Amino acid sequence: MDRWLLATQIPRLRDSTRPLVVDLGYGSSAVTTLELVERLGPEVNGLEVVGLEIDPSRVAAVATDRDPPRVDFRVGGFELAGLQPVLVRAFNVLRQYDLDSAAQAWDTMRAGLAPGGLIVEGTCDEWGRRSAWVALDTDGPLTLTLSTRVSDISTPSDLAERLPKALIHHNVPGQPVHDFLTAFDAAWAAAAGLSTFGPRQRWVAAVEGLAAQGWPMVGSSRRWRHGEVTVRWSSVAPT
């Protein structure tokens, strides 16, 4: 996700009068928050990153990593500790919630965004090699992104287990996200001949096949070579 943020969200941060980023639910160590600072900081003057956790003991445990305003840690949850960030990263946070609670969390975070702000909410496996996320602004969800280490999958639908909470229970026949993954698997199978040149070439060809079928891709096709694909939320939203 951080690579995607670098490729797509730097202008949003640079255009802000206060480029504030929240890493929501950073976990038992400061690693993800500090990595986010290291990756975005060189590209954005005046970047501020705040890691939020609802457990005060976790905030106390990373006190030595504080370097405000560049990086700080606070107690907070979906209300974003009263901050107004331009960007919120919430990864592996909502999977344990039910659908209604997850939807309410979306609404709470969206209400706390700065004007023009964005939330990136999703899940990944333990190694970060299979992931999926939704980008949302104050009006609602915009896109779904799938991202993987392509050599680690047998079919694109292997990523179904990492779909965000808003979609994972809708991956059933008759629902758009299921149609998308089914079409992706078929395009992957059709591109099997390119396996000789490596899994990335096969992935790119499969995404090209999806685009040719009319699936609404978003962003630069250069991202496809990184094992990513982004589609408009309207094409996969539950019905």
Side-chain angles (χ1 to χ4, degrees):
M1 181 196 278
D2 288 357
R3 289 194 298 267
W4 181 83
L5 292 175
L6 276 170
T8 66
Q9 301 304 314
I10 294 303
R12 186 186 304 272
L13 290 167
R14 287 175 175 168
D15 289 345
S16 172
T17 55
R18 185 189 181 192
L20 173 63
V21 179
V22 162
D23 184 21
L24 180 63
Y26 56 83
S28 59
S29 77
V31 170
T32 62
T33 305
L34 297 176
E35 286 180 344
L36 192 59
V37 175
E38 291 171 2
R39 290 165 180 164
L40 298 182
E43 304 297 328
V44 181
N45 291 331
L47 179 76
E48 299 178 43
V49 178
V50 177
L52 294 182
E53 266 292 345
I54 60 173
D55 184 349
S57 67
R58 288 189 168 184
V59 177
V62 297
T64 57
D65 294 303
R66 295 180 65 241
D67 183 21
R70 180 173 176 267
V71 58
D72 202 356
F73 299 89
R74 302 184 190 180
V75 175
F78 299 123
E79 82 295 336
L80 306 179
L83 300 169
Q84 283 194 304
V86 177
L87 188 63
V88 176
R89 183 181 68 178
F91 231 46
N92 297 322
V93 173
L94 292 179
R95 286 298 290 271
Q96 68 269 32
Y97 290 79
D98 59 44
L99 278 171
D100 289 341
S101 298
Q104 184 176 0
W106 271 12
D107 290 342
T108 302
M109 290 188 288
R110 286 165 49 211
L113 283 175
L118 191 78
I119 299 162
V120 185
E121 186 271 309
T123 64
C124 67
D125 66 1
E126 292 78 3
W127 304 105
R129 295 174 179 174
R130 298 183 182 187
S131 55
W133 59 83
V134 179
L136 314 93
D137 65 8
T138 53
D139 292 325
L142 303 170
T143 59
L144 169 70
T145 299
L146 304 181
S147 178
T148 188
R149 182 175 176 176
V150 184
S151 59
D152 283 355
I153 62 169
S154 57
T155 63
S157 62
D158 289 349
L159 298 172
E161 64 184 17
R162 296 300 162 186
L163 287 171
K165 189 69 177 187
L167 290 176
I168 193 166
H169 297 297
H170 295 282
N171 184 29
V172 294
Q175 285 290 330
V177 70
H178 185 271
D179 293 343
F180 174 67
L181 290 172
T182 300
F184 205 167
D185 280 354
W188 176 260
L194 291 174
S195 297
T196 303
F197 303 102
R200 288 191 182 188
Q201 284 75 10
R202 186 179 181 183
W203 175 274
V204 170
V207 177
E208 289 173 344
L210 287 175
Q213 293 174 37
W215 288 96
M217 303 301 167
V218 178
S220 171
S221 61
R222 291 193 297 271
R223 301 305 304 164
W224 302 348
R225 292 190 57 82
H226 296 278
E228 289 178 13
V229 59
T230 299
V231 294
R232 295 194 184 282
W233 175 259
S234 56
S235 68
V236 295
T239 57

